[in-house]
Amino acid sequence: MTKGLIIVISAPSGAGKTTIYRELLSRMPGAVFSVSVTTRKSRKGEVDGRDYFFISEKKFRRMVSGGQLAEWARVHGHYYGTPKKQLRDAVSSGRDIVLDIDVQGGRKIRKQYLSGVFIFILPPSLKALEHRLRNRGQDDEQTIRVRLENARKEISYITDYDYLVINDKLNEAVEQARSIITAEHARISRLKNEISGFKKAQAGNA
Ligand code: ADP
Ligand code: 5GP
């Protein structure tokens, strides 16, 4: 059985990361989403255990000190973290797992999981980003300004990532992300077992 891939997706807020990973997961049967823990309040329509595990700061601190998080960070004023167990379970059962985390988290995961796949998503322009944030209708003016300001900083982390997907036409962006994942599965360096199986069979036939 091949191991599942750890796929990290990061993007400035409003670039379309949530839209893309949801669509991506619907086209990747068997793949799972890494449900983060967060101390922020749930938004309308979000489901505890599906979108996030919404927990108190006290519980968050306990998870950090208990070594239960693969990474954690403070983002836009709240704490977020990736539970280690979900990553372990997915990889060992051969399932791909998609992490929607910020650039600080991406950098920490990269140090621990060298075989991870790191994808950065950008909108076609900063104007388009602003437009999407406003159209989403989820944030007030001050929050939008903070997110746009943060976007400029986040973009400077692009070189930590392996791939860049520009989310202009949604379907094309999702297909591009899926192609990246398909190609990563075909990497020779990930297929040591399969290759040694071929070599043995070849030796047996010789
Ligand atoms: P993020 O998770 O990166 O903050 P969202 O997935 O919430 O971003 O997308 C932000 C807004 O932009 C949403 O209203 C979404 O419907 C819209 N959106 C996403 N992708 C596109 C696209 N390719 N073209 C136009 N609008 C998009
Ligand atoms: P939101 O509150 O809009 O859902 O997410 C805000 C930001 O937090 C996004 O950039 C998202 O990728 C990031 N985020 C969500 N979960 C995690 C996590 O577990 N770790 C880190 N480092 N960032 C996360």
Side-chain angles (χ1 to χ4, degrees), residues 4-134:
L5 295 181
I6 291 183
I7 300 152
V8 172
I9 299 187
S10 300
S13 179
K17 180 172 34 115
T18 310
T19 313
I20 288 180
Y21 83 69
R22 286 199 180 142
E23 191 52 41
L24 191 58
L25 284 169
S26 77
R27 299 180 196 184
M28 290 169 53
V32 291
F33 178 59
S34 164
V35 183
S36 295
V37 292
T38 182
T39 60
R40 87 151 158 75
K41 297 271 168 294
S42 68
R43 296 186 188 124
K44 206 164 156 247
E46 283 182 327
V47 177
D48 189 37
R50 183 194 69 182
D51 301 293
Y52 283 105
F53 292 106
F54 296 98
I55 62 173
S56 64
E57 285 207 17
K58 191 172 165 198
K59 179 144 191 227
F60 191 92
R61 279 196 294 274
R62 264 210 311 271
M63 290 186 81
V64 171
S65 60
Q68 293 175 50
L69 300 180
E71 63 75 34
W72 65 272
R74 191 174 164 91
V75 190
H76 307 315
H78 304 283
Y79 292 104
Y80 296 81
T82 304
K84 268 185 196 160
K85 188 173 181 309
Q86 290 180 52
L87 298 187
R88 264 201 313 262
D89 291 352
V91 171
S92 64
S93 63
R95 288 173 185 272
D96 290 349
I97 184 162
V98 175
L99 282 65
D100 164 357
I101 61 177
D102 88 317
V103 290
Q104 307 169 72
R107 187 169 265 189
K108 290 178 196 159
I109 293 289
R110 169 136 239 165
K111 287 197 179 125
Q112 297 169 63
Y113 300 93
L114 299 177
S115 59
V117 181
F118 295 80
I119 303 175
F120 201 90
I121 292 171
L122 277 183
S125 65
L126 280 174
K127 264 266 150 279
L129 183 68
E130 185 171 349
H131 195 68
R132 285 182 193 174
L133 282 171
R134 288 193 202 292

